[in-house]
Amino acid sequence: MSNQLYISEIQNLFDTVQRSEIFEDQKMMTDAVPLFPIAKINEDYEKAKDAEGFDLKDFVLAHFDFLGAKISIQREDHLPIKEHIEKLWDELTRTAYEERGTLLKLPKAYVVPGGRFNEFFYWDSYFIMLGLKVSDRVEMMENIVENCSYLIQNVGFVPNASRTHFLSRSQPPYFSLMLDLLFETTHKEDIYIQYHDTLEKEYAFWMDGEEEPENNSGVKRVIRTEDGDILNRYYDAENAPRPESYLIDIEDHEEASGDEFYRNIRSACESGWDFSSRWFADGEHIQTIETLNLAQVDLNCLLWHLETTLAKSSALQNLFEKEKYFSERAAKRRQMINKYFWDERMKIYKDYHIKKNTTTPSEHIAALYPLFLGIADQDQAEAVAQALAEKFLYPGGLVTTTKNSGQQWDLPNAWAPYQWLGFKAMKNYGFHELAEKIKNNWCSNVERVYKNTGKLMEKYNALDTETIAGGGEYPNQDGFGWTNGVYLQLQQN
């Protein structure tokens, strides 16, 4: 991956552009493609910047290409929603056979989420695949798996998204679940053998440094508890403002304490939940973010699935030692998930605070993962189902937390991934009525917004089904990959 230094090579110009807010969206500059060699751009900038009448925006527009900065989808006629989604798959398809600016090259075509997002996103792609399966677009499902494998083989992991400034973090590890989905679609068992090496490499990335932590501390993505048990956390290798949200981070940092503020922010981005009261020590303010102090229930469940899949892919090749190793690790992690993340008093799964040796106060929808993956027992599932019905399910779908902080991954917003996880989790444990209610509440919300706007949104307001969802560092986006995927999959179930 040759050009990962690209943004740091234009740091002075980049810093000035982001601080001066000449673009409404900080992502614009990170996605810009240089029209000249970097050395020439820097030289031109140094010469021009102090001259009389220098216009920063004009300079940037003359030196960079902003092609395809925003996906705008216009329809003359208002198609039925499913036909609209079928057309969207083609409109959201991109290729990147060579590197351009910050965009990483990928061997296969892929589907982007939509709106301002013009790159391949890791966990979004799993939920996009759910819809591609319904649309019978098997080749694109295979492309997604192939692109993930290419990134794991070449970078060591799947970055948050396919841009150079995401090479310090991943996203929820869904690769093993993508293989399951592809297997369900094609019934070719050899895909587990084909990607065995890729699964091992991704596992090595998440477990990197596991020998190192002392009790009650963490190294990279691994933490060791007071009892000496190993759990995982989200993490980012960099401790600096995010280029794509540069000024926001710098401003938030001014009122924050602790020297790991930027890393905590970035680590929350690795979870996909940027941002939520789930990460805040005081439950209210982003300045108190402490992602690094937590072992997260969703991540540990996904890694249990990865270990289980590695045991399966080892067994298929008669690699008995490896099969035993990964089976034992999965069994141990299953115990750990119930030991550390189950809150017996509140009867729900939560994150675990490694400094306080207790679950965190935040009640959130990632509690679904042990049910989605079949790790919970029936009593636990019943308690989670009850919490879901009482605290999370609203007329427009499942909300992510029980707290309204103004952050986008908090109440009142409903996000596509968790409608699927909720539906499937309830089905797994026989709560069919609740599963149907989750499906119907959210799907009717999606249909209503589509009827009124002609758009499929990134997120929805679950409480007030008359308004469009808000919060977050940018406006609600139209497109939208995982909404399309989950809607189609739910409608088929």
Side-chain angles (χ1 to χ4, degrees):
M1 297 291 164
S2 59
N3 61 2
Q4 63 195 49
L5 296 171
Y6 161 58
I7 286 178
S8 58
E9 286 169 1
I10 55 160
Q11 184 57 34
N12 286 348
L13 172 60
F14 184 82
D15 180 81
T16 307
V17 169
Q18 298 296 59
R19 286 175 187 269
S20 65
E21 297 181 88
I22 55 173
F23 301 115
E24 211 175 299
D25 188 345
Q26 297 261 295
K27 193 177 186 302
M28 285 285 287
M29 193 61 199
T30 63
D31 295 3
V33 179
L35 292 168
F36 307 98
I38 300 297
K40 175 173 165 46
I41 294 176
N42 283 333
E43 195 184 324
D44 289 357
Y45 175 60
E46 290 306 318
K47 273 189 201 152
K49 66 177 185 183
D50 299 322
E52 206 179 314
F54 172 70
D55 186 301
L56 181 62
K57 191 167 187 175
D58 287 349
F59 177 87
V60 171
L61 292 174
H63 286 77
F64 295 87
D65 186 350
F66 292 87
L67 272 181
K70 178 128 173 80
I71 299 166
S72 179
I73 292 149
Q74 302 301 329
R75 287 267 183 275
E76 294 306 308
D77 46 346
H78 204 77
L79 295 170
I81 190 165
K82 287 182 184 172
E83 284 178 42
H84 178 73
I85 292 173
E86 285 304 330
K87 283 202 154 168
L88 279 175
W89 291 140
D90 296 322
E91 291 172 29
L92 296 173
T93 296
R94 297 284 177 280
T95 56
Y97 298 131
E98 54 190 49
E99 300 192 342
R100 295 189 67 207
T102 57
L103 193 67
L104 299 173
K105 80 171 182 190
L106 288 170
K108 303 285 186 186
Y110 52 92
V111 177
V112 298
R116 72 206 274 270
F117 303 109
N118 225 335
E119 53 279 300
F120 176 85
F121 274 79
Y122 185 11
W123 79 311
D124 293 62
S125 295
Y126 173 77
F127 298 96
I128 287 169
M129 281 175 75
L130 290 172
L132 294 172
K133 182 175 191 273
V134 177
S135 297
D136 207 26
R137 295 186 179 229
V138 182
E139 190 185 345
M140 185 58 86
M141 293 174 74
E142 291 171 340
N143 285 355
I144 288 171
V145 167
E146 195 51 37
N147 283 331
C148 287
S149 180
Y150 169 83
L151 288 164
I152 292 167
Q153 293 295 344
N154 287 279
V155 181
F157 60 97
V158 186
N160 181 149
S162 61
R163 291 200 177 268
T164 53
H165 48 281
F166 293 131
L167 289 170
S168 57
R169 66 175 175 268
S170 185
Q171 259 191 339
Y174 264 88
F175 183 69
S176 56
L177 278 148
M178 290 177 178
L179 292 186
D180 282 359
L181 199 53
L182 195 53
F183 173 66
E184 283 167 33
T185 312
T186 63
H187 308 293
K188 292 179 190 159
E189 213 165 44
D190 61 352
I191 61 159
Y192 293 106
I193 299 172
Q194 186 186 339
Y195 292 109
H196 174 83
D197 181 46
T198 305
L199 290 163
E200 279 197 312
K201 267 211 165 81
E202 183 171 49
Y203 187 64
F205 164 77
W206 287 96
M207 301 312 293
D208 185 26
E210 72 169 307
E211 306 306 322
E212 297 169 39
E214 307 281 316
N215 287 11
N216 279 57
S217 70
V219 170
K220 296 179 185 167
R221 290 166 178 80
V222 186
I223 63 169
R224 195 181 293 277
T225 67
E226 192 177 39
D227 294 352
D229 295 318
I230 289 287
L231 294 168
N232 288 79
R233 65 174 179 182
Y234 293 113
Y235 181 82
D236 187 301
E238 299 274 335
N239 187 26
R242 294 168 297 151
E244 73 279 13
S245 300
Y246 193 75
L247 192 61
I248 299 168
D249 283 358
I250 287 170
E251 287 171 351
D252 285 339
H253 180 245
E254 283 166 9
E255 292 160 43
S257 57
D259 53 5
E260 292 273 87
F261 173 77
Y262 293 128
R263 199 190 308 277
N264 275 300
I265 284 281
R266 288 161 162 267
S267 302
C269 294
E270 185 167 82
S271 78
W273 287 43
D274 37 345
F275 293 100
S276 166
S277 57
R278 176 184 180 185
W279 312 125
F280 305 160
D282 69 355
E284 301 287 342
H285 304 98
I286 200 162
Q287 287 78 12
T288 69
I289 193 164
E290 58 165 356
T291 326
L292 295 166
N293 285 335
L294 315 178
Q296 294 89 3
V297 60
D298 44 359
L299 175 58
N300 283 276
C301 289
L302 288 166
L303 290 172
W304 171 84
H305 186 272
L306 177 50
E307 287 162 344
T308 308
T309 308
L310 274 161
K312 176 169 38 181
S313 64
S314 301
L316 286 169
Q317 301 170 86
N318 300 326
L319 301 169
F320 301 120
E321 283 299 304
K322 282 188 174 180
E323 183 194 355
K324 182 171 181 283
Y325 173 77
F326 287 115
S327 298
E328 283 171 0
R329 296 216 74 160
K332 173 79 171 149
R333 193 183 294 267
R334 188 184 199 123
Q335 284 178 312
M336 295 305 104
I337 287 166
N338 285 311
K339 174 177 174 180
Y340 289 100
F341 301 116
W342 179 251
D343 185 325
E344 186 52 45
R345 194 174 62 86
M346 300 301 289
K347 297 280 189 256
I348 196 169
Y349 287 97
K350 293 179 170 184
D351 296 324
Y352 183 77
H353 197 297
I354 56 163
K355 299 272 171 26
K356 297 178 179 167
N357 302 311
T358 179
T359 49
T360 58
S362 174
E363 289 184 279
H364 56 72
I365 200 82
L368 284 169
Y369 275 87
L371 284 71
F372 173 64
L373 294 171
I375 296 167
D377 67 29
Q378 193 63 33
D379 290 346
Q380 289 168 318
E382 210 152 306
V384 173
Q386 199 179 331
L388 221 53
E390 288 171 9
K391 300 179 182 179
F392 291 89
L393 185 57
Y394 285 88
L398 289 170
V399 294
T400 36
T401 70
T402 55
K403 194 163 202 138
N404 189 344
S405 68
Q407 296 292 343
Q408 65 172 354
W409 284 88
D410 276 322
L411 187 137
N413 289 345
W415 294 78
Y418 287 93
Q419 316 309 312
W420 175 245
L421 266 61
F423 175 81
K424 198 87 177 79
M426 294 306 100
K427 285 280 193 199
N428 286 348
Y429 289 87
F431 306 112
H432 299 293
E433 213 174 302
L434 186 53
E436 287 304 309
K437 201 170 174 191
I438 292 166
K439 165 185 162 171
N440 294 332
N441 287 18
W442 185 74
C443 286
S444 58
N445 197 1
V446 171
E447 287 158 5
R448 178 192 55 79
V449 172
Y450 178 67
K451 187 167 170 265
N452 294 340
T453 65
K455 295 179 178 192
L456 286 134
M457 298 296 189
E458 181 185 18
K459 55 184 180 272
Y460 291 84
N461 188 320
L463 275 62
D464 174 3
T465 55
E466 297 306 305
T467 57
I468 284 175
E473 299 176 338
Y474 52 83
N476 201 351
Q477 301 297 307
D478 167 30
F480 196 86
W482 60 20
T483 299
N484 311 345
V486 169
Y487 178 83
L488 288 182
Q489 183 65 243
L490 281 173
Q491 287 298 335
Q492 205 191 37
N493 270 271

